[in-house]
Amino acid sequence: MLFKKRVELVRLKMEERGLPALLVSHLPNIFYLTGFTGSSAWLLLTGKHSVLFTDFRYFAQAEEQAPFCEIARLELSPAPALFHQIKNILKDKGLSSLAVEETYLTLQEFNKLKEHGETTLTLIPCSGVVEDIRVKKDKEEIECIATAARLADAALKETLPLLKPGVSEREIAAELEYRLRRAGAAGIAFSTIVASGPRSALPHGLADTRKISEQELIMIDFGAVWEGYCSDMTRTFVLGEPTPQQEKIHRVVCQAREIALQAIKPGEQVKAVDAAVRRYFAEEGFGHAFGHGLGHGVGIEVHERPTLSPKGTELLAEGMVFTVEPGLYLAGQGGVRIEDLVVLQSQGPRLLTSSSRELLI
Ligand code: ZN
Ligand code: ZN
């Protein structure tokens, strides 16, 4: 029912945009619309039909996961079978134009689709048809993301006592990921970031062989996957007594987080929320030290819409799930980022991550 409803919403979007048929090639969009979790598939949507193309490896799985779709089997040869089959289906239905996902379809696929066989298809590059719907999460999705966030909270709590001088960043990442898996997570949402000492000034410093020591910043950014949905959270710690400078940037980042949470409400511009934080950092003399956006949507993908940044054009809306992740990065010294995951409700943001934001462990 859930998937049928989502497909119906996409059909309404297609109608609005005057698209008679849409070929969905981005796997997260296919998962969203059908529940199919395999690694190879295409979904053809027309006003009435939903045809899921997949190969021998996934045929039985597709029938089980997406019973309301017509499942079309892709043959191994000849190679352009997919394009041939798609054209035949469209021809049968009297359709001569097909919308494709311009962000995800490769140029090679585009050309094959256009050129194969005698019939000529008019291809319409488009974007956002499925993402416009995905940006607001339904109840089931919010529950999955909240569960992923809870697993991450629990894994971090179990891992923190293992942080001792001499332990490497990679060992910390391994302990964290092991605990996520043991708690039932399907996997990690992205490569775990553990960046210590001067490396914590690298916003995306993947765990390295560096060993942690006292009085240095340790930034940990990681996420879990639960039922196809991701979580994302960052905490920053210091072993032993933090220096006054470390305490200061931590305090400023925490205050920036408060400012962001206060500014977040349905109808607000994403760039206004980002600007509120940027303004505060500048007032504190750290205008140069926050080089990334304030947050991003999280769902089936760990980075999706909305994008909270100076370039963002969207308005926040109820049901959106996104991160709030102010950070300050001082080259050669270190950085602090605090990242929480929130779901936007009518009265404001509700936190999905609950790990302590204290600097000291
Ligand atoms: Zn993160
Ligand atoms: Zn993030």
Short mmCIF file of all heavy atoms in Angstrom, two decimals, residues 277-291 328 330:
data_model
loop_
_atom_site.label_atom_id
_atom_site.label_comp_id
_atom_site.label_asym_id
_atom_site.label_seq_id
_atom_site.Cartn_x
_atom_site.Cartn_y
_atom_site.Cartn_z
N VAL A 277 23.55 31.00 11.61
CA VAL A 277 24.73 30.38 12.23
C VAL A 277 26.01 31.05 11.75
O VAL A 277 26.91 31.36 12.53
CB VAL A 277 24.74 28.86 11.90
CG1 VAL A 277 26.09 28.24 12.21
CG2 VAL A 277 23.64 28.16 12.67
N ARG A 278 26.07 31.32 10.46
CA ARG A 278 27.27 31.96 9.88
C ARG A 278 27.50 33.35 10.51
O ARG A 278 28.63 33.74 10.78
CB ARG A 278 27.09 32.08 8.37
CG ARG A 278 28.20 31.45 7.57
CD ARG A 278 27.80 31.18 6.13
NE ARG A 278 27.27 29.83 6.03
CZ ARG A 278 28.02 28.76 5.96
NH1 ARG A 278 29.33 28.85 5.96
NH2 ARG A 278 27.48 27.55 5.89
N ARG A 279 26.40 34.08 10.72
CA ARG A 279 26.48 35.40 11.31
C ARG A 279 27.05 35.31 12.73
O ARG A 279 27.94 36.06 13.11
CB ARG A 279 25.06 36.01 11.35
CG ARG A 279 25.02 37.53 11.42
CD ARG A 279 23.66 38.07 10.98
NE ARG A 279 22.53 37.32 11.51
CZ ARG A 279 21.59 36.77 10.75
NH1 ARG A 279 21.63 36.87 9.44
NH2 ARG A 279 20.59 36.09 11.30
N TYR A 280 26.54 34.36 13.49
CA TYR A 280 27.00 34.19 14.88
C TYR A 280 28.49 33.84 14.90
O TYR A 280 29.26 34.41 15.69
CB TYR A 280 26.17 33.11 15.59
CG TYR A 280 26.77 32.68 16.90
CD1 TYR A 280 26.82 33.56 17.99
CD2 TYR A 280 27.32 31.41 17.04
CE1 TYR A 280 27.39 33.17 19.19
CE2 TYR A 280 27.90 31.02 18.24
CZ TYR A 280 27.93 31.91 19.31
OH TYR A 280 28.52 31.52 20.48
N PHE A 281 28.92 32.92 14.05
CA PHE A 281 30.35 32.55 14.00
C PHE A 281 31.20 33.78 13.68
O PHE A 281 32.27 33.99 14.26
CB PHE A 281 30.60 31.46 12.95
CG PHE A 281 30.28 30.06 13.42
CD1 PHE A 281 29.91 29.07 12.51
CD2 PHE A 281 30.36 29.72 14.77
CE1 PHE A 281 29.63 27.78 12.94
CE2 PHE A 281 30.09 28.42 15.21
CZ PHE A 281 29.71 27.46 14.28
N ALA A 282 30.73 34.62 12.75
CA ALA A 282 31.48 35.82 12.37
C ALA A 282 31.60 36.76 13.57
O ALA A 282 32.67 37.31 13.84
CB ALA A 282 30.82 36.51 11.19
N GLU A 283 30.50 36.92 14.30
CA GLU A 283 30.51 37.78 15.49
C GLU A 283 31.53 37.30 16.51
O GLU A 283 32.15 38.08 17.22
CB GLU A 283 29.12 37.79 16.16
CG GLU A 283 28.10 38.67 15.48
CD GLU A 283 26.67 38.32 15.93
OE1 GLU A 283 26.50 37.64 16.97
OE2 GLU A 283 25.74 38.70 15.20
N GLU A 284 31.68 35.98 16.59
CA GLU A 284 32.63 35.40 17.56
C GLU A 284 34.06 35.38 17.02
O GLU A 284 34.95 34.84 17.67
CB GLU A 284 32.18 33.98 17.91
CG GLU A 284 30.89 33.90 18.70
CD GLU A 284 31.01 34.46 20.12
OE1 GLU A 284 32.08 34.28 20.73
OE2 GLU A 284 30.05 35.09 20.59
N GLY A 285 34.24 35.88 15.81
CA GLY A 285 35.58 35.93 15.22
C GLY A 285 35.99 34.65 14.52
O GLY A 285 37.17 34.41 14.25
N PHE A 286 35.01 33.80 14.21
CA PHE A 286 35.32 32.54 13.54
C PHE A 286 34.69 32.46 12.14
O PHE A 286 34.42 31.37 11.65
CB PHE A 286 34.82 31.36 14.38
CG PHE A 286 35.57 31.14 15.66
CD1 PHE A 286 34.96 31.36 16.90
CD2 PHE A 286 36.90 30.72 15.63
CE1 PHE A 286 35.66 31.15 18.08
CE2 PHE A 286 37.59 30.51 16.81
CZ PHE A 286 36.98 30.73 18.04
N GLY A 287 34.45 33.63 11.55
CA GLY A 287 33.79 33.67 10.24
C GLY A 287 34.48 32.84 9.18
O GLY A 287 33.85 32.33 8.26
N HIS A 288 35.79 32.69 9.30
CA HIS A 288 36.58 31.98 8.30
C HIS A 288 36.60 30.47 8.51
O HIS A 288 37.10 29.72 7.69
CB HIS A 288 38.03 32.48 8.38
CG HIS A 288 38.61 32.24 9.76
ND1 HIS A 288 38.18 32.97 10.86
CD2 HIS A 288 39.51 31.34 10.20
CE1 HIS A 288 38.83 32.52 11.94
NE2 HIS A 288 39.64 31.53 11.56
N ALA A 289 36.09 30.00 9.66
CA ALA A 289 36.37 28.62 10.07
C ALA A 289 35.20 27.65 9.86
O ALA A 289 35.24 26.51 10.34
CB ALA A 289 36.80 28.61 11.55
N PHE A 290 34.17 28.10 9.14
CA PHE A 290 33.00 27.23 8.90
C PHE A 290 32.76 27.18 7.40
O PHE A 290 32.04 27.99 6.85
CB PHE A 290 31.79 27.80 9.65
CG PHE A 290 30.52 27.02 9.47
CD1 PHE A 290 30.50 25.63 9.57
CD2 PHE A 290 29.31 27.66 9.21
CE1 PHE A 290 29.33 24.90 9.42
CE2 PHE A 290 28.12 26.95 9.06
CZ PHE A 290 28.13 25.58 9.17
N GLY A 291 33.40 26.21 6.76
CA GLY A 291 33.40 26.20 5.28
C GLY A 291 32.41 25.27 4.62
O GLY A 291 32.43 25.12 3.40
N LEU A 328 33.60 24.18 13.57
CA LEU A 328 34.69 25.14 13.39
C LEU A 328 35.98 24.37 13.19
O LEU A 328 36.26 23.43 13.94
CB LEU A 328 34.80 26.06 14.61
CG LEU A 328 33.65 27.05 14.82
CD1 LEU A 328 33.84 27.82 16.13
CD2 LEU A 328 33.52 28.02 13.64
N LEU A 330 40.09 24.81 12.66
CA LEU A 330 41.25 25.70 12.71
C LEU A 330 42.46 24.91 12.24
O LEU A 330 42.92 23.97 12.95
CB LEU A 330 41.46 26.22 14.14
CG LEU A 330 40.22 26.88 14.77
CD1 LEU A 330 40.50 27.31 16.21
CD2 LEU A 330 39.76 28.09 13.94
#
